[in-house]
Amino acid sequence: MDVYGLIGNPVGHSLSPPMHEAGYETLGLDARYVTFEPAADAGAEAIEAAETLGIDGLNVTIPFKQDVLDAVDPAPLAERIGAVNTVDFSGDTPTGYNTDAVGAVRALAHHDVSLSGTAVVVGAGGAGRAVAFGLADEGLSVRVANRTESKADALADEVPAATGHGLDSLPDLLADADILVNCTSVGMEEDETPVPADALHSDIAVLDAVYTPIETRLLQDAAAAGATTVDGAWMLLYQGVEAFERWTGEDAPVDRMNDQLREHL
Ligand code: NAP
């Protein structure tokens, strides 16, 4: 049997086990997905322990995404982002990937959003870094806007062809933008949004990384403006799909994994 899993602290609320196990069941794979909760300072040790135990793959979540960089051989994108959320143990050394970046790209592609032009990424934390690098690698011009403008500037210095801004600039930044991704935690509380509704328009596609609630105020405003909307569960789904495919070498049964994820949200 193959064993995959997740390390995080806490991990009790994770949606990954039902999503991945639905995939194994659909493909008839003899595999399990288990959650582990190491002490908050033991991320690197957990990777070493998993390798010793013969675990096949691990997802990594808060607070370990940066800590485990030293315990793995990071893929170039994970190294640039500075965070790992997926570890593959099939090679001589554990390899670290960041599938959040690809997750956002595949979520947009699933909705037939053209991956070209200009993207506005709101937020410069972990999700903002991953999405900014992911979209830039697809060839988009990225504008990063963040409450703390200096963090947006610092991220924009690292991302090819990116610029950094404060949140005040959002109406100007969005006027001719093709894609907007909310990578702040704003939207988890009822009726809050990081983007003024009147800055949205029908020529933009809006992905909200927030997935609780599924239908955020931002997505409601975007739909009212006639924009294409993509909820955060699609990004969550595709970061998992990307890990699943890397570990198993099989095409993931995306529809089934999506159903399971949404059933548990
Ligand atoms: P993080 O590293 O803590 O970053 C938080 C970001 O939100 C920062 O840019 C912060 O700005 C901004 N922010 C926080 N409160 C704000 C406020 N009141 N007004 C304006 N900006 C505010 O968090 P993260 O890991 O990037 O996660 C961000 C969100 O993305 C969370 O809701 C998380 O669940 C979601 N997420 C979703 C997925 C997915 O697969 N769908 C994956 C990863 C994350 P400052 O720099 O100014 O503090």
Side-chain angles (χ1 to χ4, degrees), residues 177-226:
D178 304 287
I179 293 174
L180 162 67
V181 187
N182 173 37
C183 293
T184 73
S185 44
V186 181
M188 297 181 76
E189 301 292 332
E190 202 181 332
D191 228 29
E192 64 176 11
T193 173
V195 178
D198 56 10
L200 300 166
H201 53 81
S202 59
D203 294 333
I204 199 164
V206 180
L207 165 61
D208 199 338
V210 172
Y211 54 85
T212 47
I214 287 269
E215 206 189 337
T216 58
R217 166 79 188 278
L218 170 62
L219 293 182
Q220 290 171 20
D221 291 344

Side-chain angles (χ1 to χ4, degrees), residues 27 33 73 93 110 117 153 172 191 207 265:
L27 297 186
Y33 189 101
D73 186 9
T93 52
H110 181 105
D153 290 339
D172 288 342
D191 228 29
L207 165 61
L265 264 169

